[in-house]
Amino acid sequence: MTHPPGATPVIRFDTVGSTNAEALAAIGGPAPCWFVAERQTGGRGRRGRPWTSEPGNLYASLLLVDAGPAARQPELCFVAALALYDAVRAVTGIDPLRIGLKWPNDVMIDGAKLAGILLEGTALPGGRMATVIGFGVNCAHHPADTPYGAIDLSGAGYPTEPPAMLAALDAAMRHRLAEWARGEGFADIREAWLMRASGVGKPVTVRLGERQSEGIFEALDFSGAMVLRRPDGVCETISAGDVFPSPRASV
């Protein structure tokens, strides 16, 4: 376990199945703690999709214990997205016009997805929660077979080594978690997310398992759910789904 003064402890691996799985297996040990691997053989994204995990990118999972009430855990996806946005800006100095956030927690560069963020958790005795936030950040390469276009930092013109990205991400996560304040500060997190968001006020398609909805991304409600104004004028509140631009949508 290694960490510079003030930083979160890090447990490093050469190859693992999944850093999220390692973090979940370590519940009961020290927390917060990062679990970082050079390579994953069983990386996964949302809805169980495989996540390409060859060396050169950052594969890191943060284990948190009792970070906030169980009911506020979904807000951590916005905390994580903001922290990664902050970290990328800090490391690269990229023009803010090139980088944005896609609901709920995708960091985008030039309209393409830079990273995967996956939250998992489990209930602990006494009503507490253990939460794992997994980050797969495309530093050197990106997958080609994704439902949404992908990009990596090197290809975007910002060669970045995983250790530098981890250091910036750790600092940003500590800052944003303090701002979130166990959920009491979510209004500030929500406002900061909206300031960096792409797609708000624009037509989108949201894939919801076996069905999809189209409309205008009207707003975020105060829990972080998407408010979608459909062509029939009805506003639908969506708490989870995959979002794509949809020039066909109209109201």
Side-chain angles (χ1 to χ4, degrees), residues 123-156:
L124 299 175
R128 301 182 306 148
M129 286 287 296
T131 307
V132 173
I133 308 175
F135 297 84
V137 185
N138 299 333
C139 295
H141 50 81
H142 64 269
D145 54 346
T146 59
Y148 205 99
I151 196 170
D152 60 78
L153 289 174
S154 181

Side-chain angles (χ1 to χ4, degrees), residues 202-204 214-216 229-234 246-251:
K202 297 178 181 178
V204 296
E214 290 191 352
I216 301 297
R229 181 156 50 92
R230 301 193 312 234
D232 61 7
V234 173
S246 177
R248 299 183 305 278
S250 60
V251 292

Side-chain angles (χ1 to χ4, degrees), residues 39-251:
R39 178 175 178 268
Q40 295 182 124
T41 58
R44 61 192 187 278
R46 289 197 297 270
R47 304 181 188 276
R49 299 187 186 104
W51 183 264
T52 303
S53 306
E54 293 304 313
N57 291 347
L58 175 64
Y59 311 112
S61 297
L62 178 62
L63 171 62
L64 302 171
V65 173
D66 196 27
R72 310 301 294 261
Q73 296 299 295
E75 298 170 1
L76 284 169
C77 73
F78 297 94
V79 175
L82 273 173
L84 181 55
Y85 176 102
D86 295 343
V88 172
R89 288 289 316 280
V91 169
T92 67
I94 189 171
D95 185 333
L97 294 177
R98 293 184 64 190
I99 184 171
L101 296 173
K102 181 170 77 73
W103 184 86
N105 61 3
D106 286 338
V107 177
M108 313 293 287
I109 290 180
D110 299 336
K113 184 173 175 176
L114 176 68
I117 299 176
L118 178 65
L119 273 72
E120 298 182 282
T122 187
L124 299 175
R128 301 182 306 148
M129 286 287 296
T131 307
V132 173
I133 308 175
F135 297 84
V137 185
N138 299 333
C139 295
H141 50 81
H142 64 269
D145 54 346
T146 59
Y148 205 99
I151 196 170
D152 60 78
L153 289 174
S154 181
Y158 301 97
T160 303
E161 294 296 324
M165 180 53 62
L166 178 64
L169 180 57
D170 178 50
M173 277 299 301
R174 286 185 281 116
H175 171 75
R176 290 298 184 182
L177 283 167
E179 182 180 29
W180 180 60
R182 298 178 59 84
E184 294 300 315
F186 183 64
D188 291 335
I189 293 292
R190 175 181 173 275
E191 182 69 20
W193 189 96
L194 283 167
M195 289 176 62
R196 295 156 178 81
S198 59
V200 179
K202 297 178 181 178
V204 296
T205 296
V206 186
R207 295 180 184 170
L208 308 157
E210 298 300 314
R211 71 179 185 91
Q212 66 181 37
S213 285
E214 290 191 352
I216 301 297
F217 184 175
E218 188 85 358
L220 280 187
D221 75 6
F222 289 102
S223 72
M226 171 188 282
V227 178
L228 184 75
R229 181 156 50 92
R230 301 193 312 234
D232 61 7
V234 173
C235 284
E236 179 179 358
T237 300
I238 299 172
S239 59
D242 294 322
V243 180
F244 300 86
S246 177
R248 299 183 305 278
S250 60
V251 292

